[in-house]
Amino acid sequence: MIEVVASMARGPVFLAGEVLECLITFTNPMSHLSTSASSEMLAWASAQIHCQFHASESRVALPSQGTKQDVQAESDTVLIPSRGERGQCMLDTPPKILFCDLRLDPGESKTYSYSELVPTDGPPSFRGQAVKYVYKLTIGCQRVNSPIKLLRVPFRVLVLHGMPEPPFPQDEEVAPSNPFLEEEEGGRRDTRTLERALDMLMITTSRRYPHLFNITNMRGKVAKFCIFKTVYRLGEDIIGTFTFSEGDIPCLQYSVSLQSEEEVHEQYQRRPGQAVSVTGHGRHLESCLHTASSHFSLPIPLNVTPGFSTDIVTLRWRLHFEFVTAREPVELPTVLQNQSEVTVWTGAEQVDSALSCLWSFICFYLL
């Protein structure tokens, strides 16, 4: 028996273009007091990154690819990282051999380092209602005269569109460096990728400009809505304000929902005119009768996927608004001057109201 442990020191989240580093340890768990006959012999081990794609049969109609069978026999020495997985492998990196002919005595262990550039031409990690894109690091090894065993380590990939290209190699040669500090080239490249991504995100998401919208229905103006920017990072709060004093129609209650839209492109839709899949990620509800102004704050979850588009599906983000308005004017409460007694305000017992729905779209960037 061989025990295989994979450890990612940086954690399970990577930006497309970063270097994934993983330490893989092979251990013979038998006690060192065992006889030498308990030694284990591994023929080979390799590692490979691949992206597995799965589509919902009820929502996506993919072109027929014929009957694909798993041609890898148990005694075959060819590594197929997606063997036994649902869906199809849409992206993979060349496999890297970790070792050949490794002998492990009882209690002995060997650790190997695996590093690979996360592909930049693939989609981000996403688990939606129509499609799923899942990235995995697959480690395959084979004992002598035994079938291949696979260890799959899932990780998350974020794609930042529009990131500037890295500097030319000659720029690195003239850059100032400290000769007394040892720094690996891979570490410097990885740091520069993160720095460029962070700089781009900070510049893009820090731009603030009030965007004003008049919210109306068939009977007139309800309120004025203001949002300060339309590009956000994961984990940020979406903040907006309502001004009801400028409205002609009394608003009793409003709600704001953070939603994502998953739209399958027309040529891949299972049914003509197929509806867009909508998923809610947060909601703010507030009563606002006789309120001059109000505001809301909706946090963007860290585990969601920023907007993206592939050949099959497009993911967009939006804010969905719902307003409960009164059909007739509602009389304002009166306060007498120099009134010494405490006055208790109570809401109207019966109000003829109507529900109005509006929505607007917001673009998201990741962090």
Side-chain angles (χ1 to χ4, degrees):
M1 183 177 66
I2 293 292
E3 182 182 90
V4 183
V5 177
S7 175
M8 297 181 182
R10 268 278 318 280
V13 182
F14 295 89
L15 186 68
E18 277 192 274
V19 176
L20 181 148
E21 295 183 351
C22 182
L23 295 178
I24 306 169
T25 303
F26 299 84
T27 304
N28 184 349
M30 298 293 292
S31 172
H32 66 279
L33 300 178
S34 303
T35 62
S36 58
S38 301
S39 297
E40 294 283 356
M41 189 71 181
L42 292 178
W44 58 270
S46 65
Q48 184 178 8
I49 293 175
H50 67 102
C51 177
Q52 199 72 13
F53 166 72
H54 174 69
S56 171
E57 296 181 358
S58 61
R59 299 173 184 268
V60 181
L62 295 177
S64 178
Q65 297 181 347
T67 58
K68 289 186 64 177
Q69 296 181 352
D70 189 358
V71 298
Q72 176 173 325
E74 289 189 352
S75 59
D76 201 344
T77 58
V78 178
L79 171 62
I80 302 178
S82 58
R83 179 190 179 192
E85 295 253 269
R86 297 180 61 189
Q88 58 186 7
C89 181
M90 62 168 300
L91 181 69
D92 58 359
T93 60
K96 290 186 176 180
I97 298 177
L98 301 177
F99 62 80
C100 290
D101 297 334
L102 175 64
R103 182 186 180 89
L104 292 176
D105 295 328
E108 185 181 7
S109 63
K110 293 284 186 179
T111 300
Y112 297 87
S113 176
Y114 170 81
S115 64
E116 183 61 83
L117 194 70
V118 179
T120 58
D121 54 349
S125 299
F126 177 64
R127 291 180 178 270
Q129 300 182 35
V131 300
K132 295 180 181 180
Y133 297 101
V134 182
Y135 282 84
K136 295 181 180 181
L137 168 62
T138 298
I139 303 164
C141 63
Q142 185 178 26
R143 296 166 60 187
V144 177
N145 298 324
S146 299
I148 297 175
K149 298 296 183 180
L150 300 179
L151 171 64
R152 295 187 176 97
V153 183
F155 62 95
R156 185 183 178 193
V157 173
L158 299 175
V159 178
L160 180 59
H161 298 284
M163 193 171 71
E165 295 295 329
F168 296 102
Q170 53 266 30
D171 295 340
E172 302 177 1
E173 298 177 1
V174 298
S177 60
N178 190 336
F180 301 100
L181 296 178
E182 294 183 359
E183 188 174 12
E184 295 183 359
E185 178 61 26
R188 292 200 303 270
R189 187 184 303 111
D190 197 38
T191 303
R192 285 193 297 269
T193 301
L194 285 175
E195 289 177 353
R196 289 197 305 272
L198 290 174
D199 290 343
M200 178 182 174
L201 284 172
M202 292 302 296
I203 293 173
T204 306
T205 59
S206 62
R207 297 170 183 166
R208 293 178 177 269
Y209 182 81
H211 299 266
L212 301 176
F213 303 89
N214 289 322
I215 301 171
T216 61
N217 60 14
M218 293 185 296
R219 295 183 295 114
K221 184 177 179 180
V222 178
K224 178 181 288 186
F225 173 65
C226 176
I227 192 169
F228 301 99
K229 61 178 184 176
T230 56
V231 181
Y232 293 85
R233 302 189 304 267
L234 297 185
E236 265 194 298
D237 291 339
I238 303 175
I239 299 176
T241 62
F242 294 98
T243 303
F244 297 103
S245 59
E246 301 182 12
D248 304 322
I249 302 173
C251 184
L252 309 179
Q253 182 179 275
Y254 73 88
S255 68
V256 185
S257 302
L258 176 61
Q259 299 177 346
S260 61
E261 282 187 342
E262 185 182 352
E263 181 181 7
V264 180
H265 296 173
E266 185 177 357
Q267 61 271 30
Y268 294 104
Q269 292 181 1
R270 178 64 65 178
R271 300 175 301 277
Q274 182 173 304
V276 177
S277 302
V278 178
T279 304
H281 301 275
R283 186 167 182 252
H284 178 93
L285 177 66
E286 190 165 331
S287 299
C288 56
L289 180 61
H290 304 315
T291 301
S293 62
S294 180
H295 76 280
F296 70 90
S297 177
L298 280 174
I300 303 174
L302 289 171
N303 62 337
V304 299
T305 302
F308 70 95
S309 181
T310 64
D311 296 337
I312 299 175
V313 70
T314 295
L315 180 71
R316 292 186 296 263
W317 288 86
R318 75 183 189 184
L319 288 177
H320 181 78
F321 301 87
E322 293 183 359
F323 300 89
V324 179
T325 58
R327 297 184 184 273
E328 301 294 337
V330 180
E331 183 178 356
L332 293 173
T334 58
V335 180
L336 301 177
Q337 295 183 353
N338 301 324
Q339 184 176 1
S340 59
E341 297 181 0
V342 177
T343 301
V344 179
W345 292 352
T346 58
E349 295 182 358
Q350 185 176 0
V351 177
D352 189 8
S353 61
L355 177 64
S356 302
C357 297
L358 301 166
W359 58 86
S360 64
F361 292 94
I362 295 181
C363 178
F364 285 87
Y365 280 84
L366 58 88
L367 178 59

